[in-house]
Amino acid sequence: SYFTKVTLDVHHGLGTSAYDYGLYDQGVWLMSRFHAPFVTLMGRNLMGDHTSFILVFLVPVYWVFPSAGALFFSQSLFIALGAVPVYLLGRRLLHHDLYAVALAACYLLHPAVSWSNRENFHPDSFLPPLLGMAIYAAVSERWRMYAVFFALSLLVKEDVSLVLVPLGVWVAVKRDRRIGLISIGASIAFMLVAMFAVM
């Protein structure tokens, strides 16, 4: 809630970039009113800039709170939720709750995490908990969970495949060859469709 307040204070003080914030606000608002998200700031469909399909999940939020706070709160929430997979991985690999809490705290207190939260709004902020949970699921060989969070990670942006392909390689080498190869293929296929068909 602290970072939501800080980002809203900056926004209300006219410190938010009209472009970086405005195009997402307009696009999600249009989708929440069942219109195509044609963003006038850039003169094209929101998904023609980046295939951030994850923003569709914000549409119900805009039915209730169609405001700057909805985007900034969502961003702060998802960045903070990135501490959950860090904690789970720490507990699994280090076998000690205190070490796991310390690692999660290190994540939350890292300056790059804090400053990315304050830098306008970007759909990339949804990635930390989604990718983190995919990694945790891969390490613990929970393949259904892995598939869900892997797919949700792909919805964040087309270039997330650049992170998911190496994860697929690790899965293929260290855990399950078939699942790893499927992960690599799905990542590349999604990126190509997103870049050359959707965008």
Side-chain angles (χ1 to χ4, degrees):
S1 66
Y2 167 75
F3 279 107
T4 302
K5 182 184 181 310
V6 168
T7 51
L8 277 173
D9 286 347
V10 170
H11 179 71
H12 293 146
L14 305 179
T16 306
S17 165
Y19 188 83
D20 281 348
Y21 165 77
L23 62 95
Y24 296 112
D25 181 47
Q26 185 182 19
V28 176
W29 184 86
L30 285 167
M31 289 189 290
S32 74
R33 295 325 187 239
F34 304 101
H35 297 297
F38 185 86
V39 177
T40 54
L41 279 168
M42 59 181 172
R44 62 182 165 192
N45 191 292
L46 181 63
M47 301 305 166
D49 183 41
H50 290 292
T51 53
S52 297
F53 298 119
I54 199 77
L55 294 174
V56 173
F57 291 103
L58 289 180
V59 166
V61 177
Y62 261 59
W63 293 339
V64 183
F65 301 108
S67 66
L71 289 183
F72 292 132
F73 175 78
S74 300
Q75 175 166 272
S76 297
L77 175 65
F78 272 80
I79 289 175
L81 286 174
V84 174
V86 172
Y87 170 79
L88 293 173
L89 273 168
R91 192 175 65 174
R92 180 177 180 86
L93 299 175
L94 301 176
H95 310 290
H96 200 291
D97 285 347
L98 186 59
Y99 296 155
V101 169
L103 286 174
C106 287
Y107 163 80
L108 290 171
L109 295 172
H110 195 285
V113 174
S114 302
W115 282 104
S116 64
N117 201 354
R118 294 187 59 184
E119 208 274 312
N120 297 306
F121 171 84
H122 297 285
D124 312 62
S125 61
F126 290 92
L127 194 56
L130 302 178
L131 178 60
M133 289 304 295
I135 293 169
Y136 169 72
V139 169
S140 57
E141 300 186 59
R142 299 178 182 184
W143 300 121
R144 286 188 183 137
M145 180 192 293
Y146 172 78
V148 168
F149 284 103
F150 191 93
L152 288 171
S153 296
L154 281 173
L155 297 180
V156 172
K157 215 172 186 182
E158 70 284 346
D159 58 8
V160 171
S161 295
L162 298 174
V163 178
L164 294 177
V165 167
L167 176 58
V169 170
W170 183 87
V171 169
V173 172
K174 295 288 188 179
R175 290 296 188 265
D176 186 299
R177 180 183 298 272
R178 183 180 66 85
I179 293 174
L181 292 175
I182 290 171
S183 301
I184 295 166
S187 298
I188 293 171
F190 181 85
M191 183 170 62
L192 293 174
V193 169
M195 290 177 68
F196 296 109
V198 178
M199 292 170 63

